[in-house]
Amino acid sequence: MSAPVLLVVAHGSRDPRHAATVHALVRRVRALRPNVRVETGFLDFNVPSVQGVLESLETEGVRDVVALPLLLTRAFHAKADIPAVLAAAPPRLRIRQAEVLGPSPLLLSALERRLYEAGLAPADKSSTGVVLAAAGSSDPEAIAVIADIAREWRHTGWCAVRPAFASASLPRTEDAVRQLRALGCARVAVAPYVLAPGFLPDRVARGAAGADVLADVLGPAPEVARVVLERYDAARMPVALAVGA
């Protein structure tokens, strides 16, 4: 029996950089797992739509699909939007929704990769305060996860780590930068905890004007691709067990 199709479900954006980054990440995932068919669908703004991809797969005779939300936290899209779209899929498809990407130690590694690519060195950690700048959400669970990640990351040797949000929640990036300055950190870096460029990451960048270092978005970092496959493998496990039964 062939492996289930991996359908990466992205949010979509009017900003063309968003789709380009999603496609770059998917290419890296395909390169890591060439025996798995990987498709991309968007919830809004971009094509193909998730519904369109599912209908095409059903027409081809595909039966097993793992739908993976390309999201960092379990907020509204993961809890409501994506399940609603999947519920409307052709009934002959067997679809499992994978977990969102975060939290994961691999994502922390990807964040550090981006900071080092932006000019920091491992020797700078103890004197550098980091703003973990997320998109933001009205979902308390999602906000709590970001705060937990910041606390965990602080224990890896940074001077301090503060969460910040581009929308819906406080503090904003610029406020967190000022907090770290007030703490006496020798330098301040902003690490966007977002997957692709767009409106909210641009807001994070504007809020980072007072920082010394601004890292790039996570994008197609190899660690992100590995998390995608970890979530896929965990979601498809019941299929593998059923086959071997």
Side-chain angles (χ1 to χ4, degrees):
M1 183 176 178
S2 60
V5 171
L6 168 55
L7 173 58
V8 174
V9 180
H11 182 273
S13 171
R14 293 186 178 90
D15 189 323
R17 296 174 298 169
H18 174 90
T21 302
V22 170
H23 290 311
L25 173 60
V26 169
R27 286 194 296 271
R28 189 178 286 273
V29 172
R30 288 187 182 122
L32 288 174
R33 194 73 63 85
N35 62 318
V36 172
R37 179 175 176 181
V38 186
E39 299 290 343
T40 308
F42 295 91
L43 292 173
D44 206 353
F45 302 117
N46 302 106
V47 292
S49 68
V50 175
Q51 187 67 24
V53 174
L54 291 172
E55 290 173 357
S56 295
L57 291 173
E58 193 270 343
T59 300
E60 292 178 33
V62 171
R63 290 295 173 261
D64 290 302
V65 177
V66 170
L68 186 141
L70 201 62
L71 301 168
L72 294 172
T73 59
R74 288 191 72 252
F76 182 79
H77 293 303
K79 294 177 179 178
D81 284 352
I82 293 176
V85 172
L86 299 182
R92 282 184 288 183
L93 289 176
R94 293 184 292 265
I95 304 174
R96 288 175 169 81
Q97 181 176 330
E99 291 294 331
V100 298
L101 301 183
S104 168
L106 284 170
L107 294 179
L108 286 181
S109 297
L111 287 167
E112 295 207 359
R113 169 192 292 274
R114 293 304 189 220
L115 285 170
Y116 297 149
E117 290 171 349
L120 289 180
D124 298 326
K125 289 184 74 168
S126 62
S127 58
T128 300
V130 179
V131 178
L132 180 67
S137 172
S138 58
D139 188 312
E141 178 187 351
I143 298 305
V145 167
I146 300 301
D148 288 344
I149 293 170
R151 282 192 292 270
E152 178 182 348
W153 204 15
R154 163 68 181 85
H155 294 312
T156 65
W158 296 100
C159 173
V161 180
R162 292 287 186 274
F165 306 94
S167 69
S169 310
L170 295 173
R172 294 285 183 259
T173 302
E174 53 269 32
D175 300 326
V177 169
R178 285 193 290 268
Q179 291 172 9
L180 292 172
R181 293 283 187 211
L183 280 176
C185 297
R187 66 184 64 78
V188 175
V190 174
Y193 191 60
V194 292
L195 287 166
F199 175 75
L200 293 179
D202 285 349
R203 182 179 287 179
V204 167
R206 290 193 296 272
D212 302 294
V213 173
L214 171 62
D216 199 359
V217 299
L218 293 171
E223 296 88 349
V224 179
R226 288 169 58 196
V227 177
V228 168
L229 289 171
E230 282 186 356
R231 299 295 184 254
Y232 167 77
D233 288 337
R236 71 183 288 257
M237 193 62 67
V239 174
L241 290 175
V243 172

